[in-house]
């Protein structure tokens, strides 16, 4: 090691025997450098970033020419366009512009050759795979996956023959006649089917039940306490009776009551038109062996009643 080396700039050297230290400037040898922190007073840094050392002769700090902190460097973009990209560096010693970073020494940047090469490569690939590279890659991967399970002793023709035989076996096993079905009633059975009597929702059941009202007919000999189960009600009257129902129907319910007069006389049938009944008439006269028709609809909590009378001949009597 040199006895009196040049100390690098801002490098501090501590004397272990005296406790004193020096700071290099990158030029002077160690012996030519001044001590810092003489008499126990440390060096300090000025506001503009230079070292100050204590001078015991004058009892003041003396500013040196050595920077205590790195200099600030600012970088900005000077030019940025399609062909040119230049940066500017600003620091204490001045400014510096970089060369064009999009080309050597400011040469114009041109990627035409690269683009042309890529286009040529794409055209070559499309030519090999009939114009669709992605489909070709997928097909190739499928072939690789298929061949992964093929043994070395197998041939492609043998594999294809085996596949064809398997297909033929399946086709032969498919029944073409009901007599070939393997069950007593010659019908197709689903092995996973589980029978249940509750295949319908409550809403569907209600709709099915409602539809039966128009098919079935209630037969009675009195208009009192009629069932609301069916839409059609057939009544043979030998005497007048008060019209009523056994229970209150649901909103929107309706029925058609057909009456035959078997009393032997013209029958004066009273009609309810008070309380929750809405009817224009208080009674209807059904001729001997004639017919009467009463249409009832339940809505807004009321029974809406419309009547008609027919002669024995079937003509409407008004």
């Amino acid at each position: 090691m040199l006895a009196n080396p040049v100390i690098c700039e801002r490098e501090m050297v501590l004397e272990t025997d005296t406790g004193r230290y020096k700071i290099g400037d990158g030029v002077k040898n160690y012996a030519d450098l001044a001590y810092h922190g003489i008499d126990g007073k440390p060096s300090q840094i000025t506001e503009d970033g230079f070292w100050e050392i204590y001078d015991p002769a004058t009892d003041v700090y003396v500013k040196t020419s050595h920077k205590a902190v790195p200099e600030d460097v600012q970088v900005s973009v000077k030019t940025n366009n399609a062909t040119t990209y230049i940066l500017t560096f600003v620091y204490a010693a001045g400014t510096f512009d970089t060369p064009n970073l999009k080309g050597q020494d400011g040469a114009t940047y041109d990627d035409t050759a690269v683009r042309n090469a890529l286009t040529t490569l794409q055209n070559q690939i499309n030519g090999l795979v009939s114009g669709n590279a992605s489909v070709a890659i997928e097909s190739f991967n499928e072939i690789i996956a298929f061949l992964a399970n093929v043994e070395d002793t197998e041939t492609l023709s043998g594999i294809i023959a085996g596949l064809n035989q398997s297909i033929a076996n399946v086709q032969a096993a498919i029944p073409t006649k009901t007599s070939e079905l393997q069950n007593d009633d010659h019908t197709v059975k689903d092995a996973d089917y589980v029978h249940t009597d509750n295949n319908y929702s409550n809403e569907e059941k209600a709709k099915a039940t409602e539809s039966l009202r128009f098919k079935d007919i209630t037969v009675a000999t009195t208009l009192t306490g009629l069932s609301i189960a069916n839409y059609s009600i057939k009544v043979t009257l030998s005497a007048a009776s008060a019209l009523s129902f056994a229970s209150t129907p649901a909103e929107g319910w309706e029925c058609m009551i057909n009456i035959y007069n078997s009393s032997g006389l013209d029958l004066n049938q009273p009609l309810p038109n008070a309380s929750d009944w809405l009817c224009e008439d208080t009674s209807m006269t059904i001729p001997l062996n004639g017919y009467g028709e009463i249409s009832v609809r339940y809505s807004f909590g009321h029974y809406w009643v419309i009547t008609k009378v027919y002669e024995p001949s079937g003509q409407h009597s008004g």
Side-chain angles (χ1 to χ4, degrees):
M1 181 176 180
L2 297 176
N4 188 27
V6 175
I7 306 303
C8 295
E9 185 177 3
R10 291 193 295 275
E11 180 182 3
M12 185 180 74
V13 179
L14 176 67
E15 295 180 353
T16 58
D17 55 344
T18 65
R20 303 164 74 186
Y21 65 92
K22 297 182 179 182
I23 297 177
D25 59 4
V27 177
K28 297 178 183 178
N29 295 88
Y30 180 77
D32 298 326
L33 294 172
Y35 282 105
H36 288 250
I38 298 176
D39 295 334
K41 293 188 177 183
S43 300
Q44 60 187 23
I45 301 173
T46 63
E47 292 183 357
D48 55 357
F50 289 87
W51 283 110
E52 282 185 338
I53 60 174
Y54 177 71
D55 183 0
T58 59
D59 194 26
V60 296
Y61 279 92
V62 179
K63 182 178 180 180
T64 70
S65 60
H66 304 300
K67 273 280 190 178
V69 294
E71 297 177 344
D72 291 334
V73 178
Q74 296 179 350
V75 182
S76 61
V77 178
K78 181 177 182 180
T79 306
N80 182 15
N81 53 43
T83 60
T84 307
Y85 190 77
I86 298 176
L87 299 177
T88 296
F89 289 81
V90 180
Y91 56 102
T95 61
F96 168 73
D97 290 344
T98 67
N100 182 8
L101 300 180
K102 287 190 175 181
Q104 294 182 354
D105 298 328
T108 301
Y109 178 74
D110 188 358
D111 63 351
T112 302
V114 176
R115 293 178 180 272
N116 291 340
L118 291 174
T119 301
T120 301
L121 178 60
Q122 181 66 54
N123 292 336
Q124 291 174 346
I125 293 176
N126 288 341
L128 291 173
V129 298
S130 301
N132 196 327
S134 61
V135 173
I137 292 172
E138 292 177 1
S139 300
F140 178 76
N141 290 335
E142 291 175 358
I143 294 173
I144 293 299
F146 172 76
L147 294 178
N149 297 320
V150 177
E151 298 180 1
D152 292 340
T153 56
E154 295 179 299
T155 63
L156 182 58
S157 59
I159 294 172
I160 294 175
L163 291 174
N164 288 334
Q165 184 59 52
S166 298
I167 294 173
N169 293 339
V170 172
Q171 291 175 335
I174 298 175
T176 58
K177 301 177 181 179
T178 56
S179 60
E180 295 174 350
L181 297 173
Q182 300 298 313
N183 51 59
D184 295 336
D185 54 0
H186 304 307
T187 58
V188 178
K189 293 291 192 300
D190 183 355
D192 296 327
Y193 174 75
V194 178
H195 176 74
T196 173
D197 291 330
N198 191 23
N199 290 331
Y200 298 96
S201 65
N202 291 335
E203 181 180 359
E204 291 171 333
K205 290 179 180 179
K207 291 180 179 179
T209 301
E210 181 66 18
S211 66
L212 293 176
R213 292 186 59 248
F214 297 91
K215 176 183 178 182
D216 296 336
I217 300 175
T218 297
V219 178
T221 57
T222 178
L223 293 176
T224 303
L226 292 174
S227 170
I228 64 172
N230 299 318
Y231 172 78
S232 297
I233 302 175
K234 179 181 177 181
V235 181
T236 300
L237 284 181
S238 59
S241 57
L243 175 60
S244 66
F245 294 98
S247 58
T248 302
E251 181 75 10
W253 172 90
E254 59 184 354
C255 73
M256 178 65 71
I257 305 172
N258 299 115
I259 304 170
Y260 172 67
N261 178 10
S262 65
S263 66
L265 300 170
D266 289 346
L267 182 65
N268 185 29
Q269 171 61 45
L271 298 172
N273 62 354
S275 184
D276 53 352
W277 291 82
L278 301 176
C279 182
E280 293 183 350
D281 302 316
T282 59
S283 65
M284 60 186 296
T285 300
I286 305 174
L288 172 64
N289 297 325
Y291 304 93
E293 181 180 272
I294 303 176
S295 173
V296 182
R297 179 177 178 83
Y298 187 77
S299 181
F300 295 105
H302 290 78
Y303 295 92
W304 303 63
V305 180
I306 299 176
T307 64
K308 289 183 180 180
V309 175
Y310 298 88
E311 298 291 341
S313 62
Q315 293 182 346
H316 181 214
S317 62

